[in-house]
Amino acid sequence: MPDNVLSFPMSGLSNTSVSISITEGYLRYFNSQMPTLMDLNVFIPAGKWTCILGRSGCGKTSLLRYLAGLLDQRVNWSGKLRIDPAQAELKDQVAYMAQQDLLMPWLSVLDNVLLSTRFGESAKTGFSVKNTHKARDQKEQALTLLEKVGLADNAHQLPQQLSGGMRQRVALARTLMQNKPVVLMDEPFSALDAVTRYRLQDLACTLLKDKTVVLITHDPQEAFRLAHQIYLLRGSPSTAELLTTLLSSTPRVFDATGAQLQQRIMERLEYDDDE
Ligand SMILES: Nc1ncnc2c1ncn2[C@@H]1O[C@H](COP(=O)(O)OP(=O)(O)OP(=O)(O)O)[C@@H](O)[C@H]1O
């Protein structure tokens, strides 16, 4: 199989659009009397952006961590998860991008992008000519991705030499390098200034086209710009409400329709009684 992950998926999974549905989801942390999520029904369509909003502590990150297979051991989860096509476990098909860039400070930008390709590699396969070729191809792919996110000249710098926005672009390149069909994003742009956030939204929208994306955000404008559908997590325990589906192409310009939607979101969340 060719090794070029940009043109030819390494896993054989990454060009497949994956949809996800959760029925009757229930989540309770052992140290809590109350469940965090209950009667949760969510459908995440393939190749689209689903944005999830909700007040602090309503369970957004918990839901995302469940999808990523990263939930704490001390938690009760029940519910039906279906993925289509059901070709592999969901946790093997997701890339996760968090609010913190989670870059390794001692590795160069390039090596941070390459990190996911290196786990266990030498221990598993040892050194061979084939592996050398593979490593060279992966390096080329990583450099191409850094070019796409506008950081070709920064490949050999350390993360601390970059601004917050640049670091999140490295994190985006690293996410793309994983080349998974599902991308889970937990407020990845929230710590950035407004202009940088706007540019990164556009960039992510272009580069993650055709992926199944779940984006958690506190920002209704961000949801309007990027989402094909918007869920609100509301109540205590939280359930999911499909607020709207949006058919026009993304990224959208924030306009009067966006302002109306922002108002609806604020009204729905303002009277939420989870705190
Ligand atoms: N590992 C854990 N153990 C116990 N309780 C947890 C754990 N992780 C989260 N919680 C609790 O579960 C609830 C939901 O947390 P979660 O982080 O999913 O909310 P959130 O909606 O993402 O919040 P925010 O918007 O502030 O990030 C909170 O009350 C939180 O304290």
mmCIF file of all heavy atoms in Angstrom, residues 237-266:
data_model
loop_
_atom_site.group_PDB
_atom_site.id
_atom_site.type_symbol
_atom_site.label_atom_id
_atom_site.label_comp_id
_atom_site.label_asym_id
_atom_site.label_seq_id
_atom_site.Cartn_x
_atom_site.Cartn_y
_atom_site.Cartn_z
ATOM 1 N N PRO A 237 -30.259 16.233 34.580
ATOM 2 C CA PRO A 237 -29.151 15.931 33.673
ATOM 3 C C PRO A 237 -29.422 16.471 32.252
ATOM 4 O O PRO A 237 -30.569 16.695 31.881
ATOM 5 C CB PRO A 237 -29.091 14.400 33.676
ATOM 6 C CG PRO A 237 -30.263 13.913 34.444
ATOM 7 C CD PRO A 237 -30.982 15.054 35.027
ATOM 8 N N SER A 238 -28.360 16.624 31.506
ATOM 9 C CA SER A 238 -28.498 17.215 30.180
ATOM 10 C C SER A 238 -29.046 16.226 29.163
ATOM 11 O O SER A 238 -28.684 15.048 29.161
ATOM 12 C CB SER A 238 -27.140 17.686 29.668
ATOM 13 O OG SER A 238 -26.596 18.631 30.531
ATOM 14 N N THR A 239 -29.894 16.755 28.294
ATOM 15 C CA THR A 239 -30.293 16.024 27.094
ATOM 16 C C THR A 239 -29.903 16.880 25.890
ATOM 17 O O THR A 239 -29.593 18.061 26.055
ATOM 18 C CB THR A 239 -31.813 15.765 27.057
ATOM 19 O OG1 THR A 239 -32.471 17.025 27.167
ATOM 20 C CG2 THR A 239 -32.260 14.861 28.176
ATOM 21 N N ALA A 240 -29.936 16.279 24.716
ATOM 22 C CA ALA A 240 -29.524 17.014 23.520
ATOM 23 C C ALA A 240 -30.742 17.472 22.739
ATOM 24 O O ALA A 240 -31.665 16.696 22.505
ATOM 25 C CB ALA A 240 -28.645 16.128 22.649
ATOM 26 N N GLU A 241 -30.708 18.737 22.368
ATOM 27 C CA GLU A 241 -31.793 19.291 21.545
ATOM 28 C C GLU A 241 -31.199 19.721 20.212
ATOM 29 O O GLU A 241 -30.255 20.514 20.185
ATOM 30 C CB GLU A 241 -32.376 20.499 22.276
ATOM 31 C CG GLU A 241 -33.312 21.333 21.443
ATOM 32 C CD GLU A 241 -33.661 22.664 22.145
ATOM 33 O OE1 GLU A 241 -33.545 22.757 23.391
ATOM 34 O OE2 GLU A 241 -34.023 23.604 21.425
ATOM 35 N N LEU A 242 -31.748 19.180 19.128
ATOM 36 C CA LEU A 242 -31.280 19.619 17.804
ATOM 37 C C LEU A 242 -31.919 20.965 17.525
ATOM 38 O O LEU A 242 -33.125 21.053 17.285
ATOM 39 C CB LEU A 242 -31.674 18.598 16.729
ATOM 40 C CG LEU A 242 -31.292 18.971 15.297
ATOM 41 C CD1 LEU A 242 -29.789 19.136 15.141
ATOM 42 C CD2 LEU A 242 -31.807 17.939 14.300
ATOM 43 N N LEU A 243 -31.112 22.018 17.578
ATOM 44 C CA LEU A 243 -31.667 23.364 17.427
ATOM 45 C C LEU A 243 -31.975 23.676 15.977
ATOM 46 O O LEU A 243 -33.028 24.191 15.649
ATOM 47 C CB LEU A 243 -30.674 24.404 17.980
ATOM 48 C CG LEU A 243 -31.202 25.827 17.965
ATOM 49 C CD1 LEU A 243 -32.207 26.041 19.080
ATOM 50 C CD2 LEU A 243 -30.064 26.832 18.082
ATOM 51 N N THR A 244 -31.014 23.355 15.107
ATOM 52 C CA THR A 244 -31.236 23.682 13.705
ATOM 53 C C THR A 244 -30.275 22.922 12.802
ATOM 54 O O THR A 244 -29.220 22.461 13.249
ATOM 55 C CB THR A 244 -31.054 25.204 13.475
ATOM 56 O OG1 THR A 244 -31.486 25.545 12.153
ATOM 57 C CG2 THR A 244 -29.622 25.643 13.628
ATOM 58 N N THR A 245 -30.656 22.785 11.550
ATOM 59 C CA THR A 245 -29.718 22.327 10.524
ATOM 60 C C THR A 245 -29.557 23.472 9.529
ATOM 61 O O THR A 245 -30.508 24.208 9.263
ATOM 62 C CB THR A 245 -30.231 21.077 9.783
ATOM 63 O OG1 THR A 245 -31.549 21.340 9.334
ATOM 64 C CG2 THR A 245 -30.268 19.877 10.685
ATOM 65 N N LEU A 246 -28.355 23.628 9.008
ATOM 66 C CA LEU A 246 -28.048 24.759 8.137
ATOM 67 C C LEU A 246 -27.518 24.210 6.818
ATOM 68 O O LEU A 246 -26.563 23.424 6.814
ATOM 69 C CB LEU A 246 -26.996 25.656 8.808
ATOM 70 C CG LEU A 246 -27.445 26.297 10.135
ATOM 71 C CD1 LEU A 246 -26.256 26.650 10.999
ATOM 72 C CD2 LEU A 246 -28.286 27.520 9.856
ATOM 73 N N LEU A 247 -28.150 24.603 5.733
ATOM 74 C CA LEU A 247 -27.819 23.986 4.450
ATOM 75 C C LEU A 247 -26.785 24.753 3.634
ATOM 76 O O LEU A 247 -26.097 24.175 2.797
ATOM 77 C CB LEU A 247 -29.098 23.824 3.605
ATOM 78 C CG LEU A 247 -30.180 22.951 4.238
ATOM 79 C CD1 LEU A 247 -31.433 22.936 3.382
ATOM 80 C CD2 LEU A 247 -29.655 21.523 4.450
ATOM 81 N N SER A 248 -26.655 26.043 3.872
ATOM 82 C CA SER A 248 -25.758 26.846 3.026
ATOM 83 C C SER A 248 -24.299 26.466 3.267
ATOM 84 O O SER A 248 -23.952 25.858 4.281
ATOM 85 C CB SER A 248 -25.974 28.334 3.291
ATOM 86 O OG SER A 248 -25.795 28.600 4.666
ATOM 87 N N SER A 249 -23.446 26.849 2.310
ATOM 88 C CA SER A 249 -22.046 26.418 2.403
ATOM 89 C C SER A 249 -21.290 27.209 3.478
ATOM 90 O O SER A 249 -21.662 28.342 3.821
ATOM 91 C CB SER A 249 -21.355 26.549 1.050
ATOM 92 O OG SER A 249 -21.360 27.886 0.663
ATOM 93 N N THR A 250 -20.269 26.598 3.991
ATOM 94 C CA THR A 250 -19.484 27.172 5.083
ATOM 95 C C THR A 250 -18.053 27.470 4.604
ATOM 96 O O THR A 250 -17.610 26.846 3.641
ATOM 97 C CB THR A 250 -19.419 26.182 6.266
ATOM 98 O OG1 THR A 250 -18.915 24.935 5.777
ATOM 99 C CG2 THR A 250 -20.771 25.977 6.909
ATOM 100 N N PRO A 251 -17.319 28.386 5.241
ATOM 101 C CA PRO A 251 -17.716 29.207 6.382
ATOM 102 C C PRO A 251 -18.665 30.319 5.964
ATOM 103 O O PRO A 251 -18.493 30.911 4.907
ATOM 104 C CB PRO A 251 -16.386 29.792 6.873
ATOM 105 C CG PRO A 251 -15.511 29.824 5.656
ATOM 106 C CD PRO A 251 -15.908 28.648 4.835
ATOM 107 N N ARG A 252 -19.673 30.575 6.833
ATOM 108 C CA ARG A 252 -20.652 31.622 6.509
ATOM 109 C C ARG A 252 -20.193 32.972 7.033
ATOM 110 O O ARG A 252 -19.477 33.044 8.030
ATOM 111 C CB ARG A 252 -22.000 31.294 7.178
ATOM 112 C CG ARG A 252 -22.603 30.034 6.681
ATOM 113 C CD ARG A 252 -23.960 29.742 7.282
ATOM 114 N NE ARG A 252 -24.290 28.378 6.883
ATOM 115 C CZ ARG A 252 -23.980 27.310 7.597
ATOM 116 N NH1 ARG A 252 -23.390 27.438 8.771
ATOM 117 N NH2 ARG A 252 -24.252 26.102 7.141
ATOM 118 N N VAL A 253 -20.670 33.979 6.351
ATOM 119 C CA VAL A 253 -20.461 35.342 6.857
ATOM 120 C C VAL A 253 -21.545 35.595 7.893
ATOM 121 O O VAL A 253 -22.716 35.278 7.658
ATOM 122 C CB VAL A 253 -20.566 36.358 5.707
ATOM 123 C CG1 VAL A 253 -20.522 37.785 6.232
ATOM 124 C CG2 VAL A 253 -19.453 36.110 4.701
ATOM 125 N N PHE A 254 -21.138 36.131 9.039
ATOM 126 C CA PHE A 254 -22.120 36.387 10.097
ATOM 127 C C PHE A 254 -23.018 37.547 9.674
ATOM 128 O O PHE A 254 -22.554 38.659 9.465
ATOM 129 C CB PHE A 254 -21.402 36.696 11.412
ATOM 130 C CG PHE A 254 -22.324 36.670 12.584
ATOM 131 C CD1 PHE A 254 -22.791 35.472 13.091
ATOM 132 C CD2 PHE A 254 -22.737 37.855 13.174
ATOM 133 C CE1 PHE A 254 -23.665 35.451 14.167
ATOM 134 C CE2 PHE A 254 -23.601 37.839 14.254
ATOM 135 C CZ PHE A 254 -24.063 36.635 14.753
ATOM 136 N N ASP A 255 -24.306 37.242 9.536
ATOM 137 C CA ASP A 255 -25.237 38.253 9.028
ATOM 138 C C ASP A 255 -26.489 38.290 9.909
ATOM 139 O O ASP A 255 -26.477 37.795 11.035
ATOM 140 C CB ASP A 255 -25.592 37.930 7.565
ATOM 141 C CG ASP A 255 -26.177 36.522 7.437
ATOM 142 O OD1 ASP A 255 -26.447 35.880 8.477
ATOM 143 O OD2 ASP A 255 -26.382 36.060 6.303
ATOM 144 N N ALA A 256 -27.570 38.848 9.369
ATOM 145 C CA ALA A 256 -28.796 38.972 10.167
ATOM 146 C C ALA A 256 -29.334 37.595 10.580
ATOM 147 O O ALA A 256 -29.801 37.412 11.706
ATOM 148 C CB ALA A 256 -29.851 39.724 9.364
ATOM 149 N N THR A 257 -29.227 36.618 9.674
ATOM 150 C CA THR A 257 -29.686 35.262 10.025
ATOM 151 C C THR A 257 -28.847 34.718 11.177
ATOM 152 O O THR A 257 -29.365 34.090 12.106
ATOM 153 C CB THR A 257 -29.539 34.325 8.803
ATOM 154 O OG1 THR A 257 -30.099 34.958 7.678
ATOM 155 C CG2 THR A 257 -30.202 32.992 9.036
ATOM 156 N N GLY A 258 -27.536 34.976 11.100
ATOM 157 C CA GLY A 258 -26.635 34.540 12.172
ATOM 158 C C GLY A 258 -26.994 35.209 13.489
ATOM 159 O O GLY A 258 -26.991 34.569 14.549
ATOM 160 N N ALA A 259 -27.316 36.493 13.408
ATOM 161 C CA ALA A 259 -27.654 37.237 14.635
ATOM 162 C C ALA A 259 -28.929 36.671 15.262
ATOM 163 O O ALA A 259 -29.028 36.529 16.487
ATOM 164 C CB ALA A 259 -27.819 38.714 14.312
ATOM 165 N N GLN A 260 -29.896 36.315 14.411
ATOM 166 C CA GLN A 260 -31.147 35.727 14.933
ATOM 167 C C GLN A 260 -30.882 34.390 15.604
ATOM 168 O O GLN A 260 -31.406 34.081 16.666
ATOM 169 C CB GLN A 260 -32.139 35.511 13.791
ATOM 170 C CG GLN A 260 -32.911 36.761 13.443
ATOM 171 C CD GLN A 260 -33.727 36.584 12.170
ATOM 172 O OE1 GLN A 260 -33.824 35.482 11.621
ATOM 173 N NE2 GLN A 260 -34.307 37.664 11.698
ATOM 174 N N LEU A 261 -30.020 33.609 14.945
ATOM 175 C CA LEU A 261 -29.696 32.298 15.520
ATOM 176 C C LEU A 261 -28.948 32.471 16.856
ATOM 177 O O LEU A 261 -29.221 31.768 17.827
ATOM 178 C CB LEU A 261 -28.846 31.495 14.526
ATOM 179 C CG LEU A 261 -28.505 30.086 14.974
ATOM 180 C CD1 LEU A 261 -29.759 29.222 15.102
ATOM 181 C CD2 LEU A 261 -27.538 29.426 14.001
ATOM 182 N N GLN A 262 -28.030 33.424 16.875
ATOM 183 C CA GLN A 262 -27.299 33.699 18.117
ATOM 184 C C GLN A 262 -28.288 34.039 19.246
ATOM 185 O O GLN A 262 -28.174 33.543 20.362
ATOM 186 C CB GLN A 262 -26.339 34.867 17.886
ATOM 187 C CG GLN A 262 -25.574 35.244 19.143
ATOM 188 C CD GLN A 262 -24.517 36.305 18.884
ATOM 189 O OE1 GLN A 262 -24.611 37.063 17.920
ATOM 190 N NE2 GLN A 262 -23.536 36.357 19.726
ATOM 191 N N GLN A 263 -29.283 34.862 18.911
ATOM 192 C CA GLN A 263 -30.282 35.258 19.901
ATOM 193 C C GLN A 263 -31.052 34.032 20.403
ATOM 194 O O GLN A 263 -31.271 33.869 21.604
ATOM 195 C CB GLN A 263 -31.231 36.286 19.244
ATOM 196 C CG GLN A 263 -32.252 36.892 20.183
ATOM 197 C CD GLN A 263 -31.592 37.668 21.321
ATOM 198 O OE1 GLN A 263 -30.481 38.193 21.152
ATOM 199 N NE2 GLN A 263 -32.232 37.706 22.486
ATOM 200 N N ARG A 264 -31.429 33.158 19.467
ATOM 201 C CA ARG A 264 -32.166 31.937 19.869
ATOM 202 C C ARG A 264 -31.339 31.081 20.808
ATOM 203 O O ARG A 264 -31.821 30.547 21.798
ATOM 204 C CB ARG A 264 -32.495 31.099 18.620
ATOM 205 C CG ARG A 264 -33.891 31.327 18.088
ATOM 206 C CD ARG A 264 -34.117 30.491 16.846
ATOM 207 N NE ARG A 264 -34.435 29.106 17.107
ATOM 208 C CZ ARG A 264 -34.316 28.134 16.222
ATOM 209 N NH1 ARG A 264 -33.874 28.406 15.010
ATOM 210 N NH2 ARG A 264 -34.627 26.895 16.524
ATOM 211 N N ILE A 265 -30.043 30.938 20.452
ATOM 212 C CA ILE A 265 -29.166 30.109 21.291
ATOM 213 C C ILE A 265 -29.060 30.719 22.691
ATOM 214 O O ILE A 265 -29.196 30.025 23.704
ATOM 215 C CB ILE A 265 -27.759 29.976 20.643
ATOM 216 C CG1 ILE A 265 -27.853 29.158 19.356
ATOM 217 C CG2 ILE A 265 -26.771 29.342 21.616
ATOM 218 C CD1 ILE A 265 -26.576 29.131 18.525
ATOM 219 N N MET A 266 -28.846 32.025 22.736
ATOM 220 C CA MET A 266 -28.700 32.687 24.034
ATOM 221 C C MET A 266 -29.969 32.508 24.876
ATOM 222 O O MET A 266 -29.902 32.226 26.071
ATOM 223 C CB MET A 266 -28.420 34.193 23.851
ATOM 224 C CG MET A 266 -27.165 34.505 23.069
ATOM 225 S SD MET A 266 -25.700 33.775 23.747
ATOM 226 C CE MET A 266 -25.361 34.904 25.041
#
